[in-house]
Structure formats: structure tokens, C-alpha cells
Amino acid sequence: MALNDIFGLDGRVALVTGSTRGIGAAIAGGLSAAGAHVVIHGTRQDRAESEAERLRGQGARADAVASDLSEPGAGARLIAAAEAVAGPVDILVVNASAQKNASLAGLTSEDLDFQLAVNLRSTVEMLQACLPGMARRGWGRVVNIGSINQIAPKPVVTAYAATKAAQHNIIQSQAREYAGTGVVLNTLAPGLIDTDRNADRKNADPAAWAAYCGNANWMGRAGEASEMTGAAIFLASDACSFMTGEVMVLSGGV
């Protein structure tokens, strides 16, 4: 069997949330290179369209949709919008997330509500909207982008870590619910990745950032967003047909 028969995504439609930058953009590019018709998502249509245009310039099939996932009902509306421009969603990459750094003592109700809305409510809404259709068609993939913090939470990201752990719990419950239908759901949990989420910290004190990265994992460095793409392609492909409800950790050896 050819590798493309296992890992190729020709004919598949993939919606990647939060894919105008960082890990989401890298994964969208990887899925596109594997043959998927990619739907780019961001909070701003112009930025989503710019990223889709970049992929189209590389010969890819790409469309763009925008939505604010903190709004009630936004998850379901996003699935509908993606399917309106590209057809039924075969691959859902749940990448967009909200992270407000705070210990439990310093956590405000507003920041908690925001993280719950983006990280949990919208995830539930998207799964409710797309899983039944995937099951009817007999094939589907959900790749949830979690975090090493769901396994080893740091106090400064108390709410974020808790929502990521709960998010994977939802993935596991639906993995069991849909087992045997051709639909599999898994979580990819990155460790420290050099994205714009860490830009302020990196730019404020480059020496401190370098020291932090040096002690973050066995490899002594932050990962690159592009290093998440291979695992994401695997989890989105036929190669993942006998894996569901699992966590794949890419952390440099934490």
C-alpha cells in the first residue's frame, strides 16, 4: 500500500479553528499539503482570507470563515459556515483556544467565563454539529489540540489547564460514543511551542526566555509550530483508524 493511501487526504474537507497563525496555521498548511480542502478560521475575515489566499497560491484548495467562538452558538454556526463554502466537514481540528494566565487566587470571573466559552462550550457546539454527519458518512476525524498543562498543570494557568483537561474528557466520551462508526477523536498535546502566544515574554527578556526554554524539556528548547504537523496529519488520516480517545504528547520530553 502506498503511503499516500494511508496518509493522503485527497477529497477530505478539513476545518482548522484558529488557523490564521501559530500551530493552527502550520497544521492547516500540513493538511493542505496532504491533499485536504482546508477551511481557515479566525476571528477576523480579512486575516482568515489572507491565509487562505496564501495556501491557494501554493496550489491548495482553501476557503476562509470568521467567527468569535466566545459567543453562544458560534461553534454550530462555524460548522455551518464551513460546510456552506467547502462541503461536509470530514476533519475538525479544534485548535482555537483562550488562555488567560492567572493563579486561582487572581482569576477573575470574566476571564474564567471567557476560557470556558471558547475552550469548552464552542467545542461542544462544534461536535454536536459535525459528529452525526461524520457518522452517517462512515468516516470522520476530530483532532483536538490540547496542552501539556492538561496533564501537568502549572498554577499560573489554572483555568486554562482545567479547561484543556475537560476538553479531552469530552473528546474521550465522544470517542467511545462514536467508536465503530468510522469516526475517531484524539488529542494532540503540545508542550512549550515558540508561537506569538509567548512573544511578549520572549521579547521582554530574551535571556530569561532562553533559560526557561533550556529547562523546559529534555531537548532544552521550545518546539516549532511546524513540528506539530506530522502528528496532526497522522491523526487526521486513515493511518489513525484504530486509535481513538487518546492523547499524543509532543513536548520535547517533559
Side-chain angles (χ1 to χ4, degrees):
M1 183 178 291
L3 280 178
N4 193 57
D5 293 333
I6 304 173
F7 294 101
L9 300 175
D10 287 343
R12 304 298 186 188
V13 172
L15 167 62
V16 185
T17 69
S19 48
T20 61
R21 60 186 185 179
I23 292 173
I27 289 175
L31 298 182
S32 174
H37 181 164
V38 175
V39 181
I40 301 296
H41 160 261
T43 56
R44 287 177 46 175
Q45 183 68 32
D46 59 339
R47 290 181 178 174
E49 182 57 41
S50 176
E51 183 63 18
E53 180 60 31
R54 186 183 70 81
L55 292 178
R56 289 194 292 266
Q58 299 172 357
R61 293 167 296 167
D63 287 293
V65 292
S67 69
D68 180 352
L69 290 176
S70 69
E71 297 176 352
R77 292 194 297 272
L78 175 57
I79 297 296
E83 296 194 333
V85 297
V89 171
D90 301 301
I91 301 163
L92 171 63
V93 181
V94 183
N95 171 72
S97 66
Q99 179 178 333
K100 298 286 187 178
N101 290 359
S103 65
L104 185 63
L107 183 64
T108 66
S109 59
E110 292 80 10
D111 284 349
L112 175 60
D113 288 346
F114 181 61
Q115 291 172 98
L116 289 170
V118 175
N119 300 348
L120 293 182
R121 185 179 64 205
S122 74
T123 298
V124 170
E125 292 170 349
M126 286 187 285
L127 294 178
Q128 288 173 326
C130 74
L131 287 177
M134 290 178 176
R136 286 193 300 271
R137 296 188 298 274
W139 197 95
R141 298 290 184 268
V142 176
V143 183
N144 177 53
I145 307 304
S147 169
I148 191 66
N149 283 289
Q150 74 193 55
I151 302 165
K154 297 181 179 68
V156 73
V157 290
T158 299
Y160 174 75
T163 60
K164 283 298 177 180
Q167 193 178 50
H168 179 64
N169 186 276
I170 294 168
I171 292 297
Q172 282 190 309
S173 73
Q174 295 310 291
R176 185 168 186 173
E177 178 76 15
Y178 283 87
T181 68
V183 180
V184 300
L185 304 89
N186 293 286
T187 293
L188 190 166
L192 179 65
I193 307 298
D194 189 3
T195 67
D196 57 0
R197 182 166 281 183
N198 294 307
D200 290 344
R201 182 179 186 180
K202 178 180 179 180
N203 296 332
D205 193 336
W209 169 254
Y212 177 72
C213 292
N215 292 306
N217 52 54
W218 296 347
M219 292 186 178
R221 65 175 178 86
E224 299 293 333
S226 61
E227 293 179 296
M228 305 298 106
T229 59
I233 292 169
F234 165 72
L235 294 175
S237 71
D238 284 332
C240 192
S241 59
F242 197 56
M243 176 179 173
T244 196
E246 301 288 357
V247 180
M248 180 182 289
V249 179
L250 277 70
S251 66
V254 171

